[in-house]
Amino acid sequence: MKTFTPAHTDLNASNIILGLMRILELDDEAIRTLVGTARDSGINFFDHADVYGGDHGCERRFGEAITLTEAERESVIIQSKVGLRKGYFDFSKEHILRSVDESLTALNTPYLDTLLLHRPDALVEPDEVAEAFDALQGAGKVRNFGVSNHTPMQVELLKRSISQPLVFNQVQLSITHAPIIAAGVAANMAGLDQSIDRDNGILDYSRLNDMTLQAWSPFQKGFFDGVFLGDRENYADLNDIIDELAATHGVTPTAIAVAWITRHPANIQVVLGTTTPQRVRDSAAGSDLPLSREDWYRLFTAAGHVVP
Ligand SMILES: NC(=O)c1ccc[n+]([C@@H]2O[C@H](COP(=O)([O-])OP(=O)(O)OC[C@H]3O[C@@H](n4cnc5c(N)ncnc54)[C@H](OP(=O)(O)O)[C@@H]3O)[C@@H](O)[C@H]2O)c1
């Protein structure tokens, strides 16, 4: 498992993260097996949000199933998010502080390693967010901060008020849903949809500013509409190449899908959502798999992206 130190932190982070958005219905033993498999595979980073499972539901299931000694707690990185509410977004100081307290209780931990602002709140008041972050850091409740689904200008706006570094930006990225990469490949092509910059240059901005990107839904075709792996009706060519490369490298197709993201030089972390331990193991094999430049582009074009 490849590990690295995200800029502005003292973390030693695996480049694969286990996301726990889908564990609400799992029993304690299944959660322990899932998390234990991740740990045995070298994954030390766990992603939560207050909203997963509704009202801290998944965080609570994690906290109920997993008991960590002080040393064990220090050996893992626990991340959560705040800001999504039923039908609206809320970056108010009061909500951030209350939700983090609830997350800590649900997760049964005295601190979060990382807190992300989940999706940009149209009514954000950066000074209020800054006060909340200062209070959380001062109380030892949160050690690092970041955002999710934020454009570069939204990050800049926050940075003007916030004194802590914004370390992470978690965004949607898979081979088939790759606008943050694909737009740049087809820059300035008139009439080509891929050319439209939908996020104001998140990828280049993050590299220029040493922000670490995290890729959510790494196996999903689009926005929660199923996985592309094995979908021969819509992605026959892509699956052919994935299967060929899996055989060449002696790994599963899942590892190739992970490797397409980890091969990118921006050190993008892959946030898995599977609840199947074997798929966690399979994914781990893609952590440091040296896809050639040519094979990386073959996967990219087979997924429907244009290389002009
Ligand atoms: N920041 C954000 O806005 C945001 C949004 C969404 C998610 N997230 C984070 O990202 C994580 C991943 O999201 P996701 O669950 O949508 O992504 P994903 O890993 O692409 O999808 C996982 C889902 O696909 C299923 N699946 C079916 N075949 C699979 C295969 N061959 N390989 C892998 N999975 C397969 C899994 O089922 P099984 O469980 O049965 O294996 C699971 O239901 C979440 O847990 C969460 O932490 C963040």
Side-chain angles (χ1 to χ4, degrees), residues 199-220:
D199 53 60
N200 208 6
I202 283 183
L203 178 59
D204 296 328
Y205 173 85
S206 302
R207 295 182 80 176
L208 282 165
N209 290 277
D210 299 320
M211 273 183 94
T212 297
L213 289 169
Q214 300 177 343
W216 59 265
S217 286
F219 306 113
Q220 298 285 318

Side-chain angles (χ1 to χ4, degrees), residues 185-187 189 192 194 306-308:
V185 172
M189 300 287 293
L192 186 63
Q194 180 184 319
V306 172
V307 176

Side-chain angles (χ1 to χ4, degrees), residues 17-22 46-49 52 79 81 84 116-119 147-149 170-174 214-224 226-230 253-254 270-277 279 282-283:
I17 296 174
L18 182 67
L20 296 144
M21 182 180 74
R22 300 179 187 267
F46 298 91
D47 183 65
H48 292 272
Y52 295 162
Q79 170 170 284
K81 314 186 196 75
L84 301 197
L116 307 185
L117 299 172
H118 207 148
R119 274 193 180 274
V147 297
S148 177
N149 307 304
Q170 188 176 111
V171 298
Q172 188 179 359
L173 176 65
S174 70
Q214 300 177 343
W216 59 265
S217 286
F219 306 113
Q220 298 285 318
K221 289 178 261 193
F223 188 57
F224 300 141
V227 299
F228 55 81
L229 290 169
T254 301
V270 178
V271 193
L272 309 176
T274 182
T275 54
T276 309
R279 287 186 176 139
D282 293 346
S283 299

Side-chain angles (χ1 to χ4, degrees), residues 4-306:
F4 70 109
T5 298
H8 315 293
T9 75
D10 58 4
L11 300 171
N12 179 36
S14 53
N15 70 344
I16 298 189
I17 296 174
L18 182 67
L20 296 144
M21 182 180 74
R22 300 179 187 267
I23 63 165
L24 187 65
E25 305 298 334
L26 299 190
D27 64 27
D28 286 3
E29 198 48 43
I31 294 173
R32 280 195 281 271
T33 303
L34 181 67
V35 171
T37 303
R39 296 290 288 129
D40 292 345
S41 306
I43 294 171
N44 67 353
F45 207 125
F46 298 91
D47 183 65
H48 292 272
D50 53 2
V51 76
Y52 295 162
D55 199 16
H56 303 273
C58 291
E59 290 179 329
R60 195 169 303 110
R61 289 299 302 119
F62 184 90
E64 285 165 353
I66 309 282
T67 307
L68 298 170
T69 64
E70 223 175 288
E72 284 166 346
R73 175 65 190 89
E74 283 296 325
S75 71
V76 294
I77 297 164
I78 297 183
Q79 170 170 284
S80 194
K81 314 186 196 75
V82 64
L84 301 197
R85 302 190 71 176
K86 281 198 183 83
Y88 66 107
F89 299 159
D90 188 351
F91 287 0
S92 66
K93 177 181 174 185
E94 186 200 359
H95 177 65
I96 293 172
L97 294 180
R98 188 181 56 240
S99 182
V100 169
D101 280 342
E102 290 169 359
S103 289
L104 296 178
T105 303
L107 289 162
N108 191 20
T109 181
Y111 66 92
L112 295 175
D113 296 278
T114 309
L115 177 71
L116 307 185
L117 299 172
H118 207 148
R119 274 193 180 274
D121 173 11
L123 305 181
V124 61
E125 298 192 40
D127 289 347
E128 250 195 85
V129 177
E131 281 179 29
F133 282 10
D134 286 345
L136 290 169
Q137 187 181 43
K141 293 179 180 175
V142 178
R143 295 185 175 178
N144 299 281
F145 297 87
V147 297
S148 177
N149 307 304
H150 275 61
T151 68
M153 292 302 271
Q154 289 166 335
V155 173
E156 285 296 320
L157 179 65
L158 289 167
K159 274 166 85 168
R160 206 174 52 168
S161 298
I162 292 170
S163 50
Q164 298 81 6
L166 293 175
V167 176
F168 300 103
N169 195 357
Q170 188 176 111
V171 298
Q172 188 179 359
L173 176 65
S174 70
I175 309 179
T176 53
H177 182 281
I180 70 163
I181 294 175
V185 172
N188 198 29
M189 300 287 293
L192 186 63
D193 183 75
Q194 180 184 319
S195 217
I196 297 168
D197 181 353
R198 299 178 191 282
D199 53 60
N200 208 6
I202 283 183
L203 178 59
D204 296 328
Y205 173 85
S206 302
R207 295 182 80 176
L208 282 165
N209 290 277
D210 299 320
M211 273 183 94
T212 297
L213 289 169
Q214 300 177 343
W216 59 265
S217 286
F219 306 113
Q220 298 285 318
K221 289 178 261 193
F223 188 57
F224 300 141
D225 48 7
V227 299
F228 55 81
L229 290 169
D231 177 1
R232 299 205 153 265
E233 198 180 320
N234 297 300
Y235 294 103
D237 291 352
L238 177 61
N239 277 286
D240 282 348
I241 298 176
I242 288 175
D243 289 352
E244 175 206 312
L245 294 177
T248 305
H249 290 279
V251 296
T252 61
T254 301
I256 299 298
V258 168
W260 186 80
I261 298 172
T262 58
R263 168 64 178 83
H264 195 282
N267 252 346
I268 301 170
Q269 293 176 291
V270 178
V271 193
L272 309 176
T274 182
T275 54
T276 309
Q278 186 55 45
R279 287 186 176 139
V280 172
R281 275 185 218 104
D282 293 346
S283 299
S287 158
D288 201 13
L289 192 150
L291 281 182
S292 70
R293 189 179 290 267
E294 188 186 359
D295 287 339
W296 187 92
Y297 272 99
R298 283 174 71 211
L299 291 164
F300 181 71
T301 49
H305 308 296
V306 172

